[in-house]
Amino acid sequence: RSRICMRQVYSAESDQQATGGIMSREVDVAILGSGSAGLNALGQVKKAGKSFVMINGGEFGTTCARVGCMPSKALIQIAEDFHRRGLFKRHAIAGGDTLTLDREAAMEHVRELRDTFVDRVTSNSTDKMPQQVLIHGYARFLDRHTLEVNGETVKAGKIVIATGSRPIVPAAWEAFADKVITTDEFFELEHLPESAAVVGLGVIGLEIGQALARMGVAVTGIELSDTVSGIQDPVLQQVAIDVIGKEFPLWFGKPAELRAEGSQVRVTAGEHSVLVDKVIATLGRTPNVADLNLAAIGIDCDEHGVPRFNANTMQIGESPLFIAGDVNNRRPILHEAGDDGKIAGYNAARDTVTAFRRKTPLAITFCDPGIASIGASWNELDPARTAVGEMKMAPVGRALIMAKNKGTIRIYADKATGVILGAALMAPKAENLAHLICWAIEKQQTVFDLLRMPFYHPVIEEALQAALYDLKDKVEAEPPAGLLELAML
């Protein structure tokens, strides 16, 4: 079906049939979806004392807990622990060559942890909800205030669309259904393949690709663009490609084509070709909007069929509708989905709409070394007005001791004032460094403010300190009065 709202066509007869149901309930707010965005919206609606109904198709629980950030981190931890055996000889530890990994047991452990995370989400939310406010089914719009689900209608003063997303799989790959694994299916694998092509090297593709390679799977990574993990900074792009490319082959710039070859699949991209057991499709996710019958409510949609909305209010135009989480295709990250849901739920539960200031962008890829993008991205910056501080991880003492001295830190500031604008980095402890930088940007701090902070020795944070010193010498501003301290020398 077309995902573009205005291209969906319904006959007058079908509309008349659709609206012929019997009104079964009327509430203040209807929430479509029980993921991170929907549950956070629900919390705000409850707090406001409004009547509500939550409608959810498929399994209850969040994408993060079921198929995203949580099970993937469990897999990554196993892979990294096993990978460290290669350093034992360097550290004078014998026996590393004899260590083995039971991949089936490892996947079972990942699923057990996954189920624990899902149970925590549902037991604290949907499991405690009375059945009269929880509907298991797929809703479609009849008008801007009316939904049809399971043959009955629900009328709501406001509606929050939080229907999430699903993996993208090219139509041409449908013939290889038994060989193509999406991220929604990956963690159900009881037996890992001996070889795999990971097609799409964004955040999830890079994480899964490296983890599989470290668990003994022969991995080939394929990416249509020229980078991994969506990195925009050209210097960091090359650093990441060089580091990851030493663990498994990376192909860029050409689409992957599949062809059956015996019991395997031949994957070809340009002049490259490889025969594999499975193809891991990590091509991104598409918003779940196609079956909502958005054409019936006459709202403006973008080229992906997603309603246009205000990111500070989550409101769709001037309508009584709000859209939150992965379905809005803005920033498909759990904390952003949660904030979307809070804003949407807050406004859906009130007569007037309030605009909220959004938090500083923060994105982390949990590969090794980790990759992070913080604040303004490279493509958003004006090179003439931006100073860049840089520090390579190779000589950093703490990183060298850990045998993790790969990567680079790049931090951006306004050249005139020294105010920190953003950063891109690949480094050990990336998740921790990224938070420090993100908090500094949120507080609108300058390079001088950060250099006044204490830095212990030897720690990974010293690499950030070195990048800041490099940055300080490239900004035009002088330290404010009272800041001519030892740290400025």
Side-chain angles (χ1 to χ4, degrees):
R1 296 183 182 178
S2 169
R3 292 192 297 273
I4 301 177
C5 301
M6 303 314 292
R7 291 185 184 175
Q8 296 183 15
V9 179
Y10 294 87
S11 68
E13 180 181 358
S14 64
D15 278 344
Q16 184 177 8
Q17 292 173 350
T19 57
I22 300 173
M23 183 69 65
S24 61
R25 66 187 79 189
E26 185 169 347
V27 294
D28 295 320
V29 182
I31 300 171
L32 309 185
S34 68
S36 298
L39 292 175
N40 276 279
L42 176 62
Q44 293 299 315
V45 172
K46 282 183 174 180
K47 191 182 298 184
K50 299 296 184 178
S51 61
F52 67 90
V53 63
M54 173 170 275
I55 304 170
N56 185 77
E59 298 290 339
F60 287 100
T62 67
T63 296
C64 173
R66 286 192 177 279
V67 298
C69 40
M70 299 309 289
S72 67
K73 302 311 168 287
L75 183 80
I76 289 166
Q77 189 63 58
I78 293 171
E80 184 170 345
D81 289 345
F82 188 55
H83 180 70
R84 288 290 290 181
R85 77 195 187 284
L87 298 171
F88 286 177
K89 187 175 294 186
R90 184 191 308 182
H91 293 167
I93 302 172
D97 293 340
T98 65
L99 294 176
T100 60
L101 174 67
D102 185 332
R103 299 192 306 211
E104 285 69 34
M107 291 301 290
E108 184 177 355
H109 172 67
V110 169
R111 283 190 293 275
E112 288 175 353
L113 282 177
R114 183 271 315 275
D115 293 344
T116 297
F117 299 134
V118 172
D119 287 345
R120 287 179 182 176
V121 171
T122 57
S123 64
N124 291 324
S125 54
T126 53
D127 285 354
K128 295 181 179 180
M129 292 171 59
Q131 290 302 304
Q132 62 266 28
V133 297
L134 185 61
I135 302 176
H136 195 180
Y138 294 91
R140 64 191 297 270
F141 281 90
L142 301 182
D143 59 46
R144 294 190 180 194
H145 288 282
T146 311
L147 300 160
E148 186 273 332
V149 58
N150 297 337
E152 59 178 315
T153 57
V154 176
K155 190 172 184 64
K158 306 285 181 61
I159 298 174
V160 177
I161 302 171
T163 48
S165 61
R166 64 185 183 279
I168 295 172
V169 179
W173 292 12
E174 292 179 3
F176 306 90
D178 61 328
K179 300 296 182 183
V180 175
I181 308 297
T182 71
T183 50
D184 278 3
E185 302 158 340
F186 176 80
F187 297 104
E188 298 303 323
L189 291 177
E190 294 183 1
H191 305 283
L192 291 179
E194 292 302 317
S195 59
V198 177
V199 184
L201 296 176
V203 173
I204 300 300
L206 191 60
E207 290 178 349
I208 289 179
Q210 186 183 53
L212 287 177
R214 290 183 167 190
M215 295 173 76
V217 178
V219 172
T220 301
I222 304 171
E223 170 58 44
L224 184 59
S225 71
D226 60 356
T227 189
V228 296
S229 192
I231 299 171
Q232 295 181 6
D233 186 303
V235 173
L236 199 68
Q237 279 183 14
Q238 194 57 53
V239 170
I241 290 171
D242 290 344
V243 171
I244 301 297
K246 291 177 180 178
E247 297 200 34
F248 57 94
L250 304 176
W251 304 346
F252 294 99
K254 298 293 182 180
E257 298 179 357
L258 311 187
R259 185 180 76 248
E261 193 166 315
S263 62
Q264 295 179 296
V265 178
R266 172 72 61 180
V267 183
T268 303
E271 70 277 13
H272 298 291
S273 181
V274 65
L275 193 63
V276 297
D277 296 324
K278 298 287 185 182
V279 174
I280 312 298
T282 51
L283 297 159
R285 299 178 70 88
T286 187
N288 288 326
V289 294
D291 298 324
L292 291 174
N293 191 24
L294 295 176
I297 55 178
I299 55 176
D300 185 27
C301 298
D302 65 17
E303 65 275 13
H304 302 292
V306 177
R308 300 184 192 279
F309 65 99
N310 184 322
N312 299 104
T313 65
M314 309 316 298
Q315 186 178 22
I316 298 172
E318 300 297 323
S319 75
L321 310 177
F322 301 82
I323 187 166
D326 290 4
V327 67
N328 66 35
N329 215 24
R330 178 176 170 267
R331 290 179 186 152
I333 303 173
L334 181 134
H335 68 270
E336 293 285 357
D339 288 348
D340 280 3
K342 290 176 183 176
I343 295 171
Y346 181 92
N347 283 324
R350 286 163 176 79
D351 295 330
T352 58
V353 174
T354 300
F356 290 81
R357 183 178 69 84
R358 301 306 297 259
K359 297 174 184 176
T360 300
L362 173 61
I364 301 172
T365 303
F366 289 81
C367 54
D368 180 29
I371 295 172
S373 299
I374 310 104
S377 63
W378 181 261
N379 293 352
E380 295 172 333
L381 298 170
D382 180 353
R385 300 175 60 184
T386 304
V388 182
E390 180 178 304
M391 180 61 191
K392 294 179 172 59
M393 296 304 301
V396 177
R398 177 66 171 155
L400 188 60
I401 291 167
M402 297 165 60
K404 288 180 173 287
N405 58 325
K406 299 176 182 178
T408 296
I409 295 174
R410 301 256 294 170
I411 186 164
Y412 320 133
D414 183 280
K415 185 180 291 187
T417 65
V419 172
I420 305 299
L421 302 175
L425 57 91
M426 184 181 202
K429 308 291 185 181
E431 60 193 278
N432 307 111
L433 294 174
H435 277 83
L436 296 178
I437 298 169
C438 191
W439 295 344
I441 296 172
E442 187 73 12
K443 292 294 186 180
Q444 299 182 317
Q445 292 181 310
T446 68
V447 61
F448 307 113
D449 293 327
L450 297 190
L451 283 173
R452 292 184 72 245
M453 301 297 179
F455 289 84
Y456 203 78
H457 173 78
V459 294
I460 293 296
E461 285 76 8
E462 283 183 301
L464 174 58
Q465 183 186 43
L468 291 168
Y469 270 119
D470 185 46
L471 180 62
K472 174 180 72 74
D473 294 335
K474 297 174 181 177
V475 301
E476 298 168 354
E478 294 293 330
L483 289 183
L484 293 175
E485 304 172 1
L486 182 61
M488 297 298 110
L489 299 179

